[in-house]
Amino acid sequence: MQIITDIKKIRTIIAQAKRRGQSIGFVPTMGALHTGHASLIQKSRRENAVTVLSVFVNPKQFGAREDFAAYPREKNKDCLFAKKQKVDIIFYPSVNKIYPRSFLTSIKVDRITKTLCGRFRPGHFDGVALVVTKLLNIVTPDVLYLGQKDAQQCAVLKQLVRDLDIPVKINICPTVRENDGLAMSSRNQYLTPKQRREAPVLYRALRDARQKIQNGERRTARVIKHIAALIRHNSSGRIQYIECVNADTLQPLQGLRGEVLIALAVWFGKARLIDNIIVKI
Ligand code: AMP
């Protein structure tokens, strides 16, 4: 495995691989790697000759009062993890390399960045769009691997790639969960033991809601109320939002129909946890 911090250097290595006719799979992350990330890596390894993993905690996707400083940074551990997963190239740029002092460009994706998490994290998805555009320009992969756990991020990046004609295929991988159903996340590290015991209620509530819909419930408000009640009764979590939206456009649904994304964000102490489930009606 090669650990690369320099943009020119990674470009050279990738150009060489492409000359050999090798396909490039790309897994962008913010590090603190876990089994969720590993599933993306393994998917890429199965489908490509070369797998590139990037680790970059992107300052432009954190709000002023968010956890940029506290976000876990575990370079040695991540490199070992990536090596075990047989990643070919790990790209580990510094903030200065990605955003030199002279940097002036921004990217704005409308509408689908404004619902769900976007309502509470203004600018977040524009920061994601910017860094992913830059990383795609550097790595020029054939396939970009993303996790369904971050459903809105997937929708925004699909839109970005379509709008800007970026020549990359997007492959969305299922959410990897702990045995008790909690979606794996680097932010789970912030949970106290009590909060960790409570947090699986999020997925239980989502599954329960799916069952309700499959049993015939079509009223959005009822579904949301049911999820909220389960979370409130079984945990100390503070609900930021619970929404039922169209899975493609992320726009709110009055009556439930088509492909419905049920998504939520709940605070457990310092940890803001997100999760979602798709129900096909
Ligand atoms: P992050 O490091 O949290 O920015 O995540 C990097 C990539 O891994 C994103 O595409 C995430 O959606 C994906 N990812 C994070 N957690 C999981 C999980 N539990 N299951 C599947 N993919 C995940």
Side-chain angles (χ1 to χ4, degrees):
M1 184 182 77
Q2 304 189 69
I3 304 173
I4 311 289
T5 56
D6 189 65
I7 294 175
K8 247 193 196 153
K9 186 136 183 228
I10 193 165
R11 277 191 195 283
T12 307
I13 294 168
I14 285 168
Q16 285 165 352
K18 288 199 165 183
R19 274 201 295 278
R20 290 192 293 269
Q22 294 179 305
S23 69
I24 314 286
F26 179 42
V27 181
T29 79
M30 297 207 299
L33 299 175
H34 52 66
T35 313
H37 298 118
S39 75
L40 274 55
I41 294 169
Q42 292 313 319
K43 190 87 185 285
S44 168
R45 285 193 59 230
R46 285 197 295 278
E47 297 179 353
N48 300 279
V50 176
T51 291
V52 180
L53 174 89
S54 68
V55 176
F56 181 64
V57 185
N58 174 30
K60 291 198 190 272
Q61 69 185 71
F62 287 81
R65 285 185 300 278
E66 294 185 348
D67 57 341
F68 176 68
Y71 200 86
R73 289 162 174 84
E74 306 167 345
K75 183 164 184 179
N76 292 341
K77 224 171 127 191
D78 282 347
C79 287
L80 269 173
F81 186 96
K83 200 171 165 190
K84 274 207 185 115
Q85 295 293 326
K86 299 203 163 63
V87 164
D88 299 291
I89 302 166
I90 178 162
F91 182 45
Y92 219 118
S94 66
V95 173
N96 281 339
K97 286 254 162 72
I98 296 295
Y99 303 119
R101 239 207 280 262
S102 57
F103 197 93
L104 293 175
T105 300
S106 58
I107 289 184
K108 202 161 84 66
V109 183
D110 275 331
R111 200 157 68 220
I112 58 171
T113 56
K114 303 288 188 287
T115 58
L116 307 176
C117 293
R119 269 206 298 151
F120 302 94
R121 304 188 72 187
H124 167 70
F125 290 108
D126 293 337
V128 172
L130 180 63
V131 81
V132 172
T133 302
K134 176 139 182 163
L135 290 170
L136 289 174
N137 280 334
I138 294 169
V139 178
T140 62
D142 297 280
V143 191
L144 170 64
Y145 293 85
L146 302 170
Q148 175 61 28
K149 194 196 70 115
D150 298 273
Q152 190 168 17
Q153 175 165 283
C154 292
V156 170
L157 293 178
K158 275 188 192 166
Q159 183 78 42
L160 173 86
V161 160
R162 206 181 319 135
D163 287 351
L164 299 186
D165 287 304
I166 301 177
V168 69
K169 185 173 164 272
I170 294 185
N171 194 325
I172 313 260
C173 304
T175 303
V176 178
R177 301 177 179 281
E178 303 286 356
N179 287 334
D180 56 13
L182 176 63
M184 288 191 182
S185 164
S186 308
R187 289 191 167 98
N188 292 351
Q189 296 184 18
Y190 300 155
L191 297 170
T192 64
K194 177 171 174 282
Q195 290 158 354
R196 174 64 190 80
R197 284 194 298 277
E198 293 173 351
V201 71
L202 302 184
Y203 186 51
R204 282 207 306 279
L206 287 170
R207 280 205 335 232
D208 230 72
R210 179 169 61 189
Q211 192 59 56
K212 259 192 161 356
I213 297 170
Q214 282 165 350
N215 291 345
E217 181 59 77
R218 294 291 179 271
R219 292 164 296 186
T220 309
R222 283 296 177 96
V223 172
I224 291 172
K225 215 169 148 187
H226 181 69
I227 298 174
L230 279 174
I231 294 172
R232 288 203 186 98
H233 291 148
N234 294 289
S235 79
S236 56
R238 284 181 295 118
I239 296 166
Q240 185 173 62
Y241 74 79
I242 303 166
E243 279 197 60
C244 296
V245 298
N246 176 290
D248 285 325
T249 63
L250 307 190
Q251 298 311 299
L253 287 169
Q254 293 311 324
L256 298 174
R257 74 189 108 75
E259 206 161 303
V260 179
L261 175 77
I262 313 178
L264 50 76
V266 177
W267 284 96
F268 283 84
K270 284 184 292 187
R272 181 181 175 277
L273 303 186
I274 57 170
D275 204 346
N276 68 81
I277 205 166
I278 288 181
V279 190
K280 290 181 181 136
I281 296 177

